[in-house]
Amino acid sequence: MSCLQKRVKNVAVLISGGGTNLQALLDFEAKGGLKGGKIALVVSSKSDAYGLVRAQNAGVKTAVVTKKGVELSQFEASLLSLLKENEIDAVVLAGFLVILSPEFVANFKNKIINIHPSLLPSFGGEGFYGLRVHQAVVDSGVKVTGATAHIVSGEVDRGEILVQKAVEVKEDDTPQSLQLRVMQEAEWVILPEALNLILSKD
Ligand code: GRF
């Protein structure tokens, strides 16, 4: 490899559930959309997460690091050694339900991104996850919501915003119908874009 050629960066996607955002990333990569990186590892905090099946179907290596009954420091130590063993350069939190400590995040400065299902800083922070976010949006009466892809910093949902996309809130929306539209119209679109943004930086 000449010194002008850049090494392909290894990306790990961290999940806890269904993995539709992971699927969007895998599809994006399969279409040749991912620039300068490859999804090298999928880690789930839950052994029964369907996202693991999605990864296996795409031929991507998987691992489970259980959070249940384990101290955060121990969980993070196991996760960190796994990421190091696999020479991971960038990390995507895609429906990952563990809040990582500032100490852990410091190991991958500006190289961890998260997808959040609202237009941050609105409807974000601790306690705003899953359907709770969309319930709060519906209850508030706002007419526009969306999704935000951002850098993960030491503070929940407060890192630098990379990409946002707005989604209309309809009169008859339920938290469930809104969740689906936000995923389809915003999350699955902007998360791959945000990954390319961090991969393009040294
Ligand atoms: C998404 O709504 C994402 O914004 C949030 O958790 C959900 C995960 O869905 N952080 P999936 O596992 O990617 O299907």
Side-chain angles (χ1 to χ4, degrees):
M1 198 194 300
S2 96
C3 57
L4 292 175
Q5 263 179 317
K6 283 193 179 165
R7 183 176 68 81
V8 173
K9 291 176 181 159
N10 289 323
V11 177
V13 183
L14 275 48
I15 60 164
S16 300
T20 62
N21 280 288
L22 165 66
Q23 190 66 57
L25 293 167
L26 293 168
D27 293 347
F28 187 72
E29 181 176 25
K31 283 193 318 218
L34 208 54
K35 302 292 176 216
K38 73 165 196 157
I39 301 172
L41 180 67
V42 170
V43 184
S44 176
S45 62
K46 293 188 181 165
S47 59
D48 59 352
Y50 184 69
L52 289 168
V53 177
R54 296 179 189 275
Q56 282 150 11
N57 288 343
V60 176
K61 183 174 173 182
T62 61
V64 175
V65 181
T66 314
K67 175 69 186 67
K68 219 175 166 184
V70 176
E71 290 288 325
L72 181 64
S73 56
Q74 196 186 332
F75 172 84
E76 289 184 334
S78 309
L79 182 59
L80 186 60
S81 39
L82 184 65
L83 298 179
K84 286 198 165 154
E85 271 164 34
N86 287 276
E87 300 181 345
I88 297 301
D89 303 290
V91 177
V92 181
L93 308 185
F96 185 61
L97 293 178
V98 181
I99 297 175
L100 296 167
S101 71
E103 292 72 30
F104 181 91
V105 171
N107 290 292
F108 293 91
K109 196 167 185 299
N110 296 329
K111 293 292 174 206
I112 309 182
I113 61 171
N114 180 47
I115 183 75
H116 183 82
S118 76
L119 293 175
L120 290 175
S122 295
F123 306 105
E126 228 156 314
F128 280 104
Y129 61 89
L131 276 176
R132 290 171 185 225
V133 177
H134 304 289
Q135 181 74 61
V137 167
V138 168
D139 291 347
S140 75
V142 294
K143 300 297 178 202
V144 179
T145 184
T148 304
H150 65 95
I151 301 265
V152 173
S153 66
E155 266 184 291
V156 181
D157 293 336
R158 294 305 292 270
E160 181 195 338
I161 291 172
L162 296 170
V163 194
Q164 287 186 307
K165 192 162 188 281
V167 173
E168 184 193 353
V169 182
K170 296 188 176 163
E171 208 59 56
D172 57 353
D173 260 326
T174 61
Q176 288 78 4
S177 66
L178 194 55
Q179 180 180 49
L180 183 62
R181 188 157 357 91
V182 167
M183 290 205 279
Q184 290 173 330
E185 292 182 12
E187 294 182 41
W188 302 342
V189 179
I190 67 173
L191 186 57
E193 283 178 29
L195 178 54
N196 267 346
L197 277 178
I198 60 159
L199 289 176
S200 71
K201 293 179 187 156
D202 284 327

